[in-house]
Amino acid sequence: MRSSLATLAATATAALGRQPDWIAAAPGRVNLIGEHIDYCDGFVMPFAIDRYVVMAAAKNGTSMSRWSSEGQPDACIPHDETQKIGEPAWANYLRGVIEGFRSLGHDIPGIDVAVVSSVPRGAGLSSSAALECAVATLLESVLGIELSKRDKALICQKAEHEFAGVPCGIMDQFASTFGEADRLVMIDCRNQEVQLVPFENPDLTVIIANTRVHHQLSDGAYAERRRHTEQALACLAQSSWREVTLDQVMEKWQQLGEPVNRRARHVVTEIERTQRAAELLAAREYEAFGALMDASHASLRDDFEVSCAELDVMVDIAQSLRGRGVLGARMTGGGFGGSTVTLCETAKAEEVMAILRERYQAATGIEPEIFSSRPSRGAHAFAKGD
Ligand code: ADP
Ligand code: MG
């Protein structure tokens, strides 16, 4: 569902059923390269996509918030007590962010909130970060305060850790808050520094292909991958992955053991690829950039083992169109389903999308969701009357 922000805001207002006092929006994200290394002091290169969670809210004169979102049970959250994980489950993202503001000493007044979204859920495009960042942006408006983008993202990351049980890195929430039109959000995850990298060449199109599968093992496997990388770093006797070279990993290959040695090789090579990709982008070397996306996919599939049959099918189809418009393709996000990202020449993008749709469906029997997105504006509130 592609809807403009104005349409989403109008839908949220209609769902609220009265004139909102505040409207806030936060986007999902896609990552071009640098996967599973945001929790390893690596570099990542996501951008905010043109898909948003939008919230319309009005005061309700109580000390609690009441939340509705299409397809989900309504949630009621008292603000005057320490938040705990509970039902409905989707409200845990809300509770986590509310707790973040409470722990800063803020008294949050009672509000009714209607949530609408164009971010596909569970598709590796971070609808969860979009939801958290939209709540945080809404609460800023309600409280009349403005946090730094960094602090806001960190509150949201903490919510994801403590209330959703996902030990994610900083990429998703940073991309959702720092995103800007025509800019990639290059993040140095060691010092959490953000560099907005121009991505405005109209001859390039980023295609996002949602496989529409989501394998259940993803949550436990994510935490396990994180543990493997920590184990590897300890075995390598280093404090940061940025100090580790491929030679060091290969020297300790036996000692690291299976599969931790391959996990380590992914981290080290992916950090290197992402740094190189940034240089290639600046030099407008798009073919070489695309080749690094392909290599990133192979590493995620073979060494980090977070791909799956459907992601591989979609990536294989895209990569087979190299020379016919495709520059590179890989899985994006946590893996085990979700989406792929393909860098493509704009002149060929429609044709490539049609082929991806047709061949993926023929191979899997699943109708994928395929769209393109330019880097878009990050989380923001709408002024009254906008
Ligand atoms: P991803 O972040 O890749 O989309 P996650 O599993 O991390 O996948 O997050 C998806 C979860 O986030 C959903 O199961 C739901 O609980 C919550 N969520 C996301 N968007 C919405 C929404 N618009 N309304 C209610 N819950 C949502
Ligand atoms: Mg998520």
Side-chain angles (χ1 to χ4, degrees), residues 43-47 174 178-180 183-189 191-198 275 278-279 281-282:
F43 291 94
V44 295
M45 207 186 282
F47 66 80
F174 269 52
F178 281 93
E180 281 185 19
R183 296 287 180 272
L184 306 179
V185 183
M186 175 98 178
I187 311 166
D188 178 339
C189 300
N191 56 19
Q192 301 185 340
E193 243 166 50
V194 170
Q195 199 194 337
L196 294 173
V197 177
Q275 283 175 299
E279 292 165 10
L281 196 65

Side-chain angles (χ1 to χ4, degrees), residues 53 69 72 90 93 115 117 120-128 131 160:
V53 169
S69 175
Q72 303 281 350
W90 74 278
Y93 299 97
V115 181
S117 173
R121 291 178 209 178
L125 301 172
S126 259
S127 68
S128 60
L131 183 62
E160 180 114 12

Side-chain angles (χ1 to χ4, degrees), residues 205-209 314-329 340-360 368 370-372:
T205 291
V206 176
I207 297 170
I208 296 163
M314 191 74 87
V315 166
D316 285 348
I317 300 167
Q319 290 178 354
S320 75
L321 300 173
R322 203 169 237 280
R324 291 175 60 191
V326 169
L327 299 159
T340 69
V341 60
T342 298
L343 187 65
C344 184
E345 291 164 24
T346 299
K348 304 276 175 56
E350 285 300 330
E351 196 185 326
V352 167
M353 288 197 277
I355 296 173
L356 284 175
R357 206 171 280 127
E358 187 189 306
R359 292 195 193 160
Y360 177 80
I370 298 185
F371 58 97
S372 66

